[in-house]
């Protein structure tokens, strides 16, 4: 599927493997020779992100400059001539919201990081942000108001991101689209019934909206409990 899509940049989240364990078929993907991987320090099988590019970035950084979170391998940022591309895997608040407070601290530090980038050049953030922002973004909002990914605090964090000069590209283009989900639990045939959540986003700096061509949820692509999304920009 990746070869057919031939993306300029491919962002991967929750890779769960160190650089040394990246599969050979991924290393050899045609057209994506520049590959950058972050993994959790001393925690095999946890978190991890990747960013693969057709052209070599000007610069690549890892993390967000926050020691509480950077050991988890959650963010890789590539600088290109016209924009930054950020691949991010935001922490889950955990069963019983046991990790809600660390998650909220991440949200705050991550927003500061994105604003610093945006002060230099526009940003495209791609990732599993582990939040369904509005009721339209999950199948059963009423039943999930106290569950990870749909708490008022997490949703407010995403609102603060948008209020800081960033745009949710899919919802900007398709404000009324329902049933547009990117994650389905493996339990109970949820995907076949489209009982899902929209947790994966392409978010851009406001000044990139004029370059936005489309954002698509590729829910027919199998192989994960998430599906890919694609962002098309003329930059």
């Amino acid at each position: 599927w990746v070869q057919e899509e031939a993306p300029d940049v491919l962002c991967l989240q929750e890779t769960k493997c160190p650089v040394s364990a990246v599969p050979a078929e991924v290393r050899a993907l045609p057209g994506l020779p520049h590959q950058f991987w972050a993994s959790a320090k001393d925690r095999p099988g946890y978190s991890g992100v990747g960013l693969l590019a057709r052209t070599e970035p000007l610069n690549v950084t890892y993390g967000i400059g926050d020691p509480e979170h950077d050991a988890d391998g959650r963010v890789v940022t590539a600088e290109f001539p016209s924009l930054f591309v950020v691949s991010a895997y935001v922490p889950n608040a955990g069963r019983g919201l046991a990790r809600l407070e660390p998650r909220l601290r991440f949200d705050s530090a991550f927003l500061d990081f994105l604003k610093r980038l945006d002060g230099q050049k526009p940003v495209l953030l791609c990732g599993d942000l582990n939040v369904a922002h509005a009721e339209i973004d999950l199948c059963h909002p009423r039943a999930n108001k106290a569950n990870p990914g749909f708490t008022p605090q997490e949703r407010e964090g995403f609102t603060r991101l948008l209020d800081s000069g960033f745009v949710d590209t899919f919802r900007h283009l398709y404000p009324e689209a329902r049933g547009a989900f990117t994650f389905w639990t493996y339990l109970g045939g949820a995907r076949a019934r489209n009982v899902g959540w929209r947790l994966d986003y392409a978010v851009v700096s406001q000044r990139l909206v004029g370059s936005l061509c489309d954002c698509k949820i590729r829910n027919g692509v199998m192989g994960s409990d998430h599906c890919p999304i694609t962002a098309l920009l003329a930059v």
Side-chain angles (χ1 to χ4, degrees):
W1 181 81
V2 172
Q3 291 181 56
E4 290 174 359
E5 287 292 301
D8 293 304
V9 180
L10 175 67
C11 296
L12 303 172
Q13 293 85 37
E14 203 174 2
T15 52
K16 296 187 175 183
C17 68
V19 175
S20 59
V22 174
E25 59 269 31
V26 176
R27 285 289 196 191
L29 276 171
L32 295 168
H34 307 285
Q35 302 190 8
F36 310 93
W37 304 93
S39 59
K41 184 178 180 181
D42 302 324
R43 297 186 73 179
Y46 181 75
S47 190
V49 292
L51 188 151
L52 293 71
R54 183 172 299 278
T55 60
E56 186 174 8
L58 302 174
N59 188 44
V60 175
T61 60
Y62 299 85
I64 60 175
D66 187 318
E68 180 184 1
H69 305 289
D70 284 353
D72 286 348
R74 294 190 175 278
V75 178
V76 173
T77 301
E79 179 183 1
F80 295 95
S82 57
L83 80 169
F84 290 103
V85 179
V86 181
S87 177
Y89 174 45
V90 170
N92 190 299
R95 184 172 297 177
L97 304 180
R99 292 190 49 77
L100 179 60
E101 290 305 317
R103 155 63 190 265
L104 298 180
R105 290 196 296 272
F106 178 92
D107 282 353
S108 178
F110 191 39
L111 177 55
D112 288 343
F113 170 76
L114 294 172
K115 287 161 69 174
R116 290 195 300 272
L117 292 181
D118 191 48
Q120 301 173 54
K121 63 175 65 173
V123 175
L124 166 60
L125 163 63
C126 301
D128 176 358
L129 304 189
N130 257 321
V131 62
H133 184 222
E135 292 192 354
I136 197 174
D137 294 317
L138 74 167
C139 189
H140 296 306
R142 189 172 301 175
N144 283 288
K145 288 192 173 178
N147 287 336
F150 198 59
T151 62
Q153 299 96 315
E154 292 167 297
R155 296 168 65 193
E156 287 164 9
F158 194 86
T159 297
R160 283 194 296 275
L161 174 66
L162 301 184
D163 289 345
S164 297
F166 296 93
V167 176
D168 172 357
T169 59
F170 180 82
R171 199 51 79 192
H172 173 78
L173 294 168
Y174 305 102
E176 305 299 328
R178 295 186 174 275
F181 307 135
T182 67
F183 164 81
W184 307 262
T185 176
Y186 284 125
L187 302 174
R191 188 160 187 170
R193 296 183 294 120
N194 200 29
V195 178
W197 300 56
R198 189 169 73 97
L199 302 179
D200 304 88
Y201 296 80
V203 173
V204 296
S205 299
Q206 178 70 51
R207 60 194 186 280
L208 275 180
V209 169
S211 302
L212 176 64
C213 302
D214 208 349
C215 179
K216 293 289 190 185
I217 292 175
R218 312 303 294 277
N219 56 16
V221 180
M222 309 303 286
S224 170
D225 52 358
H226 292 251
C227 75
I229 64 171
T230 55
L232 305 172
L233 290 93
V235 294

